[in-house]
Amino acid sequence: MYNLTLNSSQVCDTSASYCKPGVVLPVWNPQENVSIGDTIARACVYVLALAYMFLGVSIIADRFMAAIEVITSQEREIKVTDSEGNKQTVMVRYWNETVSNLTLMALGSSAPEILLSIIEIFGNKFEAGDLGPNTIVGSAAFNLFVIIGYCISVVPNGEIRRIKHLRVFFVTATWSIFAYIWLYIIIAVISPNYVDVWEATLTFLFFPITVLTAYIVDKKIFIGSFLQRRIKSTKVVRDEEAQNAEPLKAVENMEAIDAANPEIKNFEEHRKEYINILKEMRQKHPDIGVDELQKLAEVEILKRGPKSRAYYRIQATRKLIGGTSNVRKKLEVKDRLANSKSKSNLESLIDNEANTVTSVFFEPAHYTCFESVGSIELYVTRQGGDLNNTILVDYKTENGSAEANSDYEYTEGTLIFYPNETRKHFVVKIIDDDVYEEDEHFYVRLSNARYQQNELVDTDTLLVTNPDLATVMILDDDHGGVFMFTEAKMEIIENVGVLRVKVIRTSGARGKVKVPYKTIDGSAAGGRDFEKKNDVLTFYNNEVEKYIEIDIVDDEDYQKNENFFIKLSDPIPEMEEASHNEAGRPRLGDQNKIEIQIKESKVIKGIVDKLLIKSNAAVLVGTSSWREQFIEAFQVNADDDDDDDDNDDANGNEEDNDGEKSDENQADKEESEPKRPSLSDYLIHFVSLFWKVLFAFVPPTEIWGGWACFVVSIIIIGILTAVIGDLASHFGCTVGLKDSVTAISFVALGTSLPDTFASKVAAIQDRYADSSVGNVTGSNAVNVFLGIGLAWMCASIYHYFNGTRFVVIPGSLAFSVTMFCSFAFIAISIMMFRRSKFIGGELGGPASWRYFSSFVFICLWLAYVILSSLDSYCVFDFFKF
C-alpha cells in the first residue's frame, strides 16, 4: 500500500518487485537463490501458460462476439410510405450501428483489457496497480500503430479503403486522444498522485458522453443540416461514395428519406445493392434456375454485405483454431435441415393422392372450328388411381349461342375406358350454311363417372374433375373477318423475354388479309424498354388468330410500372377478296388498341425480399443448440473459407478476365471434393480442443436473443483474465520486468493479437475501412473511460467512505500516456494525408506509399514501447512526477 505522505519528487525505482500472490494464482516458491536454469524454466512455463490462456480468451471471446452480433442484429418491421403513396414494410435494426460499435462491440473486442483493469483494483484491495492501466495504454498503442499499419499493407494491390462514416471517426478520434490527455491531467496535474471521486466519476461519465456525441453526429441531430452542407461543400461524401461504392441507381428523394429516417435509407441502399448482385449473378450464370440463382445471390450477399467488427473477429478466431467459416457450407446445412421434413411430407401427400383417386376431365377444354369443318373431335383424359379398372363416363351437348340441329347436331353418349386406357375421344357434327352470321358456341358436359362392374359410383376414388365442361366455338367463314385484340389492357413482367399479344379474327375467316400494327411509346420508351415495331400481320384463309411478338428489355428492377401501346390499322384484303361487297369486307373491331403495362418481376422481387431477411450475418456466427456447438467443437475443418477467393468481387474492382478465372475456379471448387484438413489443422484443433469442448457448454446464442451467451461468456472472460493478470505479473517478476513493461508489451500484444487478424480480414474483404480502422479509435476511448474510469471510480468511492484518498503514482504511466498522445497525433495526421487525392484512402494505395506508411506506423509503436520501457527504468530522469 502506498504511503499517503507523497510529494511531487518521487524516487524512481529501477528494480522489479518481488513476486506477490495474485488474485487467483499463488506465488511459485522459492523466490530466493533460484538458479538461472530454474528461472528460464519458470519463464518458459509462464510464457506457455500465457499463450494457452490467451488462446482460451480468444475462443470464448468468439462466443462472446457471436452473442453481441446476434443481439445487435435484431430487427423490427416498420411501415413507411414511398413517393407514390404506397405503404411498404421495411426491416430496420433496433441497435444503431454507431451505438453498438461504441458499446457492445467495443466491450467485446476489449473485454480482457477492461476486465483486467477492474479485477486488478478489486484484487489489490482497491489500491492502484501498474498492470491494468498500462495494458490499456499499451493495447491502444498496438491497435493504433500496429493494426492500422498492418492493414495499410494487406489491402490487395491497386485497391484502397476509405472510412465511410468520417464524421463519426473524427468524433471518436478526438475522444480517444482526449481520453489519454485527460488521464494524464488527473494523475499528474489536477491532484498529483491522487484520484478523487469526482475525477474518476467524470472519467467514467465520459463513456456515455462519447457514445452520445457520436450518435448525434451520426444521426445529424441539431447540426445535421449545417454539417451536411459543410461536408458536401468539401466533397467528403461525394469522394467516399465515388471511390468505393459500386455503381447503383440513384434512389429517388434520397435526401428526404435520409432526413426522415436514415435506417430506411440504409434499407433501400441494401435492397438496390442486392438487386445489382442478382443481375451480376444472372450475367455470370445465365442458364441456372431461380432457386439456384437465389442460393448464389444469398452466398454472395453474405460475403459482400456490410459486416460488423464482431463478424470479422469471429472469422479470424475460427481460422486460427480450425473452425469452419465457409459461408456456403453454413447455408447448405441450414437449408438442408429446414427443408428436409417439409419436402418429404409434401412428396408423400402427392404420392398418396395420386395413388388413390382417379380423375376424368376434358383435355383440352376449348375448341375452335369453322362451320364448314363437318365435325370436330373432343378428347377426355383419365388420370391417377387404379388403371386396371374399366370406367364409364357420360357426355352430352348443351346450347350456348349456337343451337342444336341448327348449328350443330345434338350428341350424347357414354365413353368407356378399358384397363390402362387414359385417353378417349368422341365426335360432334357441325352444320354448314351460306348465311352470314356472328361466331357462335356450344358446350359439352361430362357427368356420372362410374365403374363398369355393377355400375358402381364411388366418389372417393372416381371423380369428374375440372374441366368437366368443354366449349366449342364455331366461326363463320362467309366474311373477311373482324380483327381486334382480346383485351384492352395487358400486364406483363419485365423478364417475360418476348411479349406475345394475340390478335383474333372473328365473324368470318375468308381470304388472305394483312393487318398493319405499330407500337406507341408511353412511359416506356421503344428501344430502351421494348423493341419498337411498325409491321404487318398476315392472316391466311381460315386463320383466326395471330400473335404480335415484341422483345421486352429486362432491367431486373425491384419496382417498375411503365406502359406502352400497340395499335392496329385498317386490314388490307388481297385483290380478289376486295371485289366482294362491303358487307363481307374485313374490318377492325372496337378493341383495336391495347395498353401494355410492364411490371417488375415477382420472382426477382420475391428473391430480393427473401434476401433482405436472410442477409443478416448473425445466421453465420450464431448457434441454435448445444448439439450444434459440441459437433463444431469436435470437428476438424480445413481452412477453406471461400471469402478470400472472391475478394475482388466483394470490392467491385475486378477485371473481366480475372472474373472469368474466378468463376472457373469457383466452379472447379464446387465440383471437386471438399478440402481435407492438413496436419497443421489437426495440430491446432487438438491444442485448442480443451477450450472448444469447455466453451461448448456456454448457452447457444438463440437462447434469450443472445443475452444468456453474453452473460456467461463475460463471466468466463473475467475468470480467465484474472488468471492472465497473475501469470503476466509472475512472469515479469521472474525475469526482472516491471508490471508496466510487461503490460505494454506482452499483455497488450496477447490481448490485441485476435483484433489484428480480424482487422486484416476486414481490410481485405470489406469495401470500407471502418471495420478495420474506424473502430480502433472508438475502442481506445472506451477502454479508458470504461476500463480505467469504472475501476478507479469504485476504488475512489471505497477510499472516500474509509476516510482515505485513492493513490495513483503517475510514474511511467504519465510518460507512456504522453508518448502515446504525441505519436497518435502523428498517426492520425498521416491517415488524413493518405485520404487526400494524392493517395485516395486510409488503407491501400500505391505500393511505395503503402509500405512506407506501414513502416512509419510500426516504427511509432516500437518507439513507444522502447521509450516507455526505458522510462520505467529511470533512463529519462527529466520526466518524473
Side-chain angles (χ1 to χ4, degrees):
M1 184 178 296
Y2 293 104
N3 190 340
L4 295 184
T5 60
L6 298 170
N7 54 56
S8 60
S9 60
Q10 299 297 320
V11 177
C12 185
D13 185 9
T14 60
S15 62
S17 61
Y18 284 99
C19 294
K20 301 175 183 179
V23 178
V24 179
L25 300 180
V27 175
W28 190 341
N29 290 316
Q31 296 192 60
E32 297 180 353
N33 300 320
V34 180
S35 65
I36 297 178
D38 287 343
T39 301
I40 295 175
R42 289 185 182 187
C44 291
V45 171
Y46 282 130
V47 169
L48 291 176
L50 275 172
Y52 199 66
M53 294 303 296
F54 281 134
L55 177 63
V57 169
S58 297
I59 297 175
I60 188 59
D62 179 354
R63 304 305 314 255
F64 187 50
M65 296 297 279
I68 292 174
E69 178 71 14
V70 171
I71 292 170
T72 57
S73 297
Q74 298 295 321
E75 295 180 329
R76 58 190 174 93
E77 293 183 356
I78 63 172
K79 302 286 186 180
V80 298
T81 303
D82 60 19
S83 58
E84 298 179 356
N86 300 319
K87 290 186 176 181
Q88 58 178 328
T89 301
V90 300
M91 302 292 294
V92 297
R93 292 193 174 188
Y94 286 102
W95 283 78
N96 174 268
E97 182 181 358
T98 298
V99 173
S100 65
N101 284 339
L102 289 176
T103 53
L104 294 183
M105 293 293 181
L107 176 62
S109 62
S110 303
E113 299 97 307
I114 294 173
L115 291 177
L116 179 61
S117 177
I118 296 173
I119 291 171
E120 184 183 40
I121 286 290
F122 284 87
N124 289 346
K125 298 179 181 180
F126 296 98
E127 298 296 342
D130 289 333
L131 198 62
N134 280 284
T135 297
I136 287 178
V137 180
S139 177
F142 188 91
N143 292 343
L144 185 60
F145 304 139
V146 177
I147 291 182
I148 294 181
Y150 183 48
C151 290
I152 289 174
S153 61
V154 298
V155 175
N157 291 331
E159 297 181 12
I160 59 171
R161 302 286 186 270
R162 292 166 64 87
I163 295 175
K164 180 180 180 182
H165 302 290
L166 188 60
R167 292 184 291 267
V168 175
F169 174 77
F170 283 147
V171 171
T172 56
T174 302
W175 276 111
S176 66
I177 295 180
F178 169 78
Y180 294 92
I181 295 175
W182 171 254
L183 189 61
Y184 173 82
I185 290 174
I186 63 175
I187 64 176
V189 178
I190 298 178
S191 55
N193 304 318
Y194 300 101
V195 173
D196 294 327
V197 174
W198 74 268
E199 294 173 318
T201 303
L202 185 58
T203 302
F204 175 72
L205 291 179
F206 280 139
F207 167 61
I209 294 174
T210 301
V211 177
L212 180 62
T213 54
Y215 177 76
I216 289 174
V217 171
D218 181 46
K219 301 287 287 186
K220 305 175 187 175
I221 300 175
F222 305 129
I223 55 175
S225 59
F226 172 76
L227 279 178
Q228 189 174 15
R229 286 196 300 269
R230 294 294 299 171
I231 291 176
K232 281 187 177 180
S233 67
T234 57
K235 300 184 180 181
V236 171
V237 174
R238 190 179 304 121
D239 284 348
E240 69 189 33
E241 294 298 331
Q243 293 289 338
N244 294 282
E246 295 179 357
L248 299 175
K249 291 186 177 179
V251 180
E252 295 182 2
N253 301 323
M254 181 57 73
E255 292 184 1
I257 293 176
D258 187 14
N261 195 330
E263 284 84 3
I264 298 176
K265 174 189 175 184
N266 190 51
F267 178 86
E268 292 295 335
E269 287 177 345
H270 286 171
R271 179 156 58 186
K272 287 191 173 293
E273 183 175 2
Y274 297 167
I275 294 171
N276 282 351
I277 290 176
L278 273 178
K279 293 179 180 179
E280 183 180 330
M281 291 297 101
R282 174 59 73 189
Q283 291 175 356
K284 289 183 177 180
H285 310 279
D287 299 326
I288 62 175
V290 173
D291 293 339
E292 185 63 23
L293 175 65
Q294 179 178 336
K295 291 179 181 178
L296 288 177
E298 187 174 351
V299 171
E300 195 67 22
I301 284 170
L302 285 172
K303 286 159 54 178
R304 289 196 202 180
K307 300 180 181 68
S308 66
R309 177 78 176 178
Y311 175 85
Y312 291 116
R313 172 69 180 261
I314 294 167
Q315 290 288 89
T317 304
R318 290 183 178 177
K319 284 185 176 183
L320 179 66
I321 64 175
T324 179
S325 57
N326 191 296
V327 175
R328 187 173 287 103
K329 287 182 180 179
K330 295 280 285 187
L331 291 179
E332 286 177 354
V333 172
K334 178 171 67 73
D335 291 341
R336 193 183 307 120
L337 292 175
N339 297 332
S340 58
K341 289 186 178 180
S342 59
K343 183 177 179 180
S344 60
N345 292 338
L346 180 61
E347 289 176 348
S348 62
L349 180 63
I350 294 174
D351 292 341
N352 290 335
E353 184 177 355
N355 291 330
T356 57
V357 179
T358 300
S359 301
V360 183
F361 52 89
F362 280 110
E363 187 181 18
H366 297 275
Y367 300 85
T368 302
C369 65
F370 293 105
E371 65 176 3
S372 60
V373 72
S375 63
I376 186 171
E377 295 179 345
L378 287 80
Y379 291 86
V380 180
T381 296
R382 171 170 74 164
Q383 186 178 70
D386 188 358
L387 298 180
N388 294 319
N389 294 320
T390 299
I391 65 172
L392 310 177
V393 62
D394 297 335
Y395 63 89
K396 67 175 180 178
T397 59
E398 298 177 0
N399 286 344
S401 58
E403 296 183 359
N405 301 323
S406 174
D407 299 301
Y408 69 95
E409 289 188 3
Y410 175 79
T411 306
E412 65 176 334
T414 300
L415 286 176
I416 303 176
F417 286 85
Y418 293 102
N420 296 320
E421 281 189 329
T422 59
R423 191 168 177 84
K424 302 286 284 187
H425 74 275
F426 59 91
V427 176
V428 177
K429 291 185 177 180
I430 306 298
I431 300 174
D432 189 15
D433 57 39
D434 294 330
V435 179
Y436 167 70
E437 54 192 350
E438 296 292 334
D439 297 338
E440 299 171 322
H441 67 276
F442 66 94
Y443 307 103
V444 184
R445 186 180 299 276
L446 296 177
S447 62
N448 194 25
R450 58 200 183 277
Y451 292 104
Q452 185 183 43
Q453 185 177 8
N454 300 326
E455 297 285 323
L456 176 63
V457 176
D458 185 357
T459 56
D460 291 332
T461 60
L462 179 59
L463 294 172
V464 175
T465 59
N466 187 45
D468 60 342
L469 186 70
T471 303
V472 181
M473 178 71 69
I474 304 175
L475 303 179
D476 185 81
D477 55 2
D478 299 319
H479 187 277
V482 178
F483 299 87
M484 59 183 177
F485 295 109
T486 57
E487 51 191 340
K489 187 175 182 180
M490 183 177 181
E491 185 176 295
I492 62 169
I493 58 177
E494 63 173 352
N495 67 344
V496 69
V498 178
L499 166 66
R500 302 181 79 239
V501 182
K502 182 190 287 188
V503 178
I504 60 174
R505 183 184 195 180
T506 63
S507 302
R510 174 176 293 179
K512 180 180 178 181
V513 179
K514 294 183 179 180
V515 181
Y517 69 90
K518 65 179 180 179
T519 58
I520 303 174
D521 289 355
S523 56
R528 184 193 67 188
D529 301 300
F530 63 91
E531 178 189 9
K532 195 166 187 176
K533 276 197 170 184
N534 189 350
D535 207 345
V536 173
L537 278 181
T538 301
F539 286 80
Y540 293 93
N541 188 44
N542 291 336
E543 271 194 317
V544 295
E545 64 180 37
K546 281 282 194 177
Y547 287 90
I548 297 173
E549 294 187 349
I550 298 175
D551 292 332
I552 303 298
V553 178
D554 183 10
D555 297 322
E556 291 189 336
D557 289 337
Y558 179 81
Q559 289 181 321
K560 190 168 188 175
N561 187 8
E562 298 176 337
N563 70 329
F564 69 97
F565 303 89
I566 305 176
K567 180 73 169 64
L568 300 178
S569 299
D570 291 332
I572 305 170
E574 291 292 314
M575 293 302 296
E576 60 270 16
E577 303 296 336
S579 61
H580 291 318
N581 56 47
E582 289 298 325
R585 288 182 62 85
R587 60 183 175 84
L588 290 179
D590 294 334
Q591 192 57 57
N592 55 58
K593 185 178 181 180
I594 185 172
E595 178 186 358
I596 308 298
Q597 188 171 23
I598 307 176
K599 302 285 289 185
E600 73 276 357
S601 169
K602 300 297 181 183
V603 175
I604 297 297
K605 188 175 187 298
I607 292 177
V608 174
D609 289 340
K610 290 179 182 177
L611 293 175
L612 285 167
I613 298 174
K614 292 184 176 182
S615 62
N616 196 326
V619 301
L620 300 179
V621 299
T623 53
S624 58
S625 66
W626 273 285
R627 178 177 178 271
E628 179 184 351
Q629 292 180 174
F630 278 101
I631 290 175
E632 289 185 356
F634 284 101
Q635 280 182 340
V636 184
N637 297 284
D639 185 12
D640 59 349
D641 184 16
D642 55 2
D643 287 348
D644 293 338
D645 298 335
D646 299 303
N647 289 332
D648 293 336
D649 288 341
N651 297 298
N653 296 318
E654 181 181 31
E655 298 293 336
D656 294 338
N657 293 338
D658 293 338
E660 294 174 1
K661 293 179 181 178
S662 177
D663 293 339
E664 293 173 0
N665 294 336
Q666 188 67 22
D668 294 340
K669 175 187 284 188
E670 292 175 354
E671 294 174 1
S672 62
E673 295 182 358
K675 184 179 178 181
R676 303 180 66 178
S678 63
L679 179 61
S680 61
D681 293 324
Y682 280 104
L683 180 61
I684 294 173
H685 170 73
F686 286 117
V687 168
S688 59
L689 182 61
F690 169 76
W691 295 122
K692 288 183 178 181
V693 175
L694 178 62
F695 299 146
F697 288 96
V698 175
T701 56
E702 195 167 292
I703 297 178
W704 297 351
W707 285 107
C709 180
F710 178 89
V711 173
V712 174
S713 297
I714 199 170
I715 292 174
I716 297 175
I717 292 175
I719 295 172
L720 295 182
T721 301
V723 177
I724 288 175
D726 292 347
L727 288 172
S729 181
H730 292 169
F731 167 75
C733 64
T734 298
V735 299
L737 290 178
K738 286 188 172 184
D739 281 352
S740 58
V741 178
T742 306
I744 64 174
S745 54
F746 294 100
V747 182
L749 177 64
T751 56
S752 300
L753 204 56
D755 287 326
T756 306
F757 296 126
S759 294
K760 172 195 172 184
V761 175
I764 295 174
Q765 296 181 9
D766 208 343
R767 291 190 300 174
Y768 301 105
D770 297 72
S771 294
S772 53
V773 171
N775 290 328
V776 167
T777 54
S779 296
N780 288 350
V782 171
N783 287 354
V784 172
F785 298 145
L786 188 58
I788 296 180
L790 181 59
W792 286 4
M793 184 178 70
C794 295
S796 61
I797 292 174
Y798 172 84
H799 282 277
Y800 175 80
F801 283 104
N802 282 276
T804 57
R805 297 181 71 183
F806 178 49
V807 179
V808 179
I809 303 299
S812 61
L813 178 61
F815 183 85
S816 179
V817 168
T818 303
M819 290 296 97
F820 171 78
C821 291
S822 302
F823 292 163
F825 180 79
I826 297 174
I828 294 177
S829 299
I830 293 175
M831 292 174 62
M832 291 301 99
F833 169 75
R834 288 181 52 84
R835 187 178 175 85
S836 66
K837 294 182 179 180
F838 189 73
I839 297 178
E842 289 83 356
L843 306 181
S848 57
W849 281 104
R850 259 194 312 172
Y851 296 123
F852 175 75
S853 301
S854 297
F855 175 76
V856 171
F857 273 76
I858 298 299
C859 287
L860 289 175
W861 179 72
L862 291 175
Y864 162 78
V865 172
I866 294 172
L867 293 175
S868 297
S869 300
L870 292 176
D871 180 73
S872 297
Y873 291 99
C874 308
V875 173
F876 304 116
D877 293 335
F878 59 86
F879 205 95
K880 291 181 180 179
F881 297 90

